[in-house]
Amino acid sequence: MRSSWPVLAVALVLMALPDSPARADAASDVASAWAAYQRGDHAAALKKLKPLAEAGNADAEYDLGTMYSDGHGVPRDPRQAQAWWEKAANQGQADAQFSLGFLLLNGAGEGDDAVAADPSAALPWLEKAAAQGHPSADYFLGYLYWSGTSVPFDPEKALQYTLRAAEQGRADAEYQAGTILASQRGVQNAIEAYKWLELAARQNYPGAAQNRDRLAADRLAPAEVQRAKALADSFKPAAPASSSGHG
């Protein structure tokens, strides 16, 4: 019997090599197609994306699904969006995992082309995207656990997910983090809550300034407010986690 070790060794060497020219060309083509889509040239985007998606390029699959979701360049078709996002999501494309999870969470469309809401199927995809550091997935999982929507109410998990999104500078997540922390006892939680509400207010997030001021009046001494403001002043958003997507 011939040993399979030489074949395995070759495979491992190939895996360790930089992306091949073909892969680099495909990535460049996808980026070019997405740029065309963003400037409104949907026909050019479709012409480039479709063969790449059909060949199994995960980013192209995600982008083509987005075209069907938006109805730009193709008829709006949530089922087609779901199908293409699922292909990309199964390859680990984080944007597709989030988009698929969000679609299944809410459902979309009407009649034969509709995708029914299926929260139990949505949650694993959102979790997969969050595991890759996708800030929208983190934020929405935080929202679900905080509101008890589709999952049991769990403020600890809600705060964990929400903070991961807030650390990347999302105003909605900053507001949500402040709201969750303000619901908890203790001066330190109130100081942290003020910090996040202050950061959200600086981005003009609705209600953030009012809730920040109410929190300060009810629970914080002037010196504690100054500590909270100092924390906000020193905050620097974390660099976005690496993602397989570009959307």
Side-chain angles (χ1 to χ4, degrees), residues 137-147 157-158 161-162 176:
D138 281 323
Y139 168 73
F140 277 101
L141 282 168
Y143 168 77
L144 294 180
Y145 280 109
W146 178 239
S147 63
K157 279 189 176 180
Y161 281 116
T162 300
Q176 186 165 275

Side-chain angles (χ1 to χ4, degrees), residues 19-246:
D19 283 347
S20 68
R23 287 186 180 179
D25 288 345
S28 176
D29 288 344
V30 172
S32 174
W34 187 247
Y37 181 79
Q38 289 183 310
R39 66 174 179 265
D41 192 350
H42 303 136
L46 180 64
K47 185 177 180 179
K48 289 185 177 183
L49 285 173
K50 193 169 184 181
L52 290 166
E54 290 173 342
N57 181 284
D59 286 334
E61 289 168 345
Y62 164 69
D63 289 345
L64 187 56
T66 300
M67 292 187 73
Y68 278 108
S69 176
D70 293 345
H72 292 160
V74 292
R76 185 171 184 273
D77 189 333
R79 282 191 177 276
Q80 283 289 331
Q82 179 185 12
W84 286 110
W85 283 342
E86 195 166 81
K87 288 176 184 290
N90 280 321
Q91 294 195 63
Q93 215 276 6
D95 291 320
Q97 290 170 341
F98 168 73
S99 295
L100 179 59
F102 191 79
L103 174 65
L104 291 170
L105 184 67
N106 297 285
E110 298 178 353
D112 294 339
D113 294 332
V115 173
D118 187 351
S120 63
L123 195 62
W125 289 116
L126 294 174
E127 289 173 340
K128 285 177 185 292
Q132 296 197 64
H134 197 287
S136 295
D138 281 323
Y139 168 73
F140 277 101
L141 282 168
Y143 168 77
L144 294 180
Y145 280 109
W146 178 239
S147 63
T149 303
S150 307
V151 294
F153 172 68
D154 189 328
E156 184 175 338
K157 279 189 176 180
L159 184 59
Q160 174 189 347
Y161 281 116
T162 300
L163 284 175
R164 283 174 23 177
E167 292 288 352
Q168 294 192 46
R170 281 187 63 125
D172 51 5
E174 291 169 349
Y175 178 81
Q176 186 165 275
T179 301
I180 296 171
L181 284 161
S183 73
Q184 299 178 359
R185 296 180 179 178
V187 172
Q188 189 56 42
N189 283 331
I191 290 172
E192 285 291 319
Y194 187 103
K195 177 192 82 171
W196 289 115
L197 291 171
E198 168 69 11
L199 288 167
R202 292 179 186 183
Q203 298 196 61
N204 299 312
Y205 193 83
Q210 294 90 328
N211 286 334
R212 174 204 63 196
D213 294 345
R214 188 178 304 117
L215 175 69
D218 292 345
R219 295 179 57 185
L220 295 173
E224 292 161 347
V225 170
Q226 291 306 310
R227 283 175 55 196
K229 286 183 177 179
L231 289 172
D233 289 340
S234 64
F235 173 74
K236 293 182 180 179
S242 61
S243 167
S244 56
H246 59 259

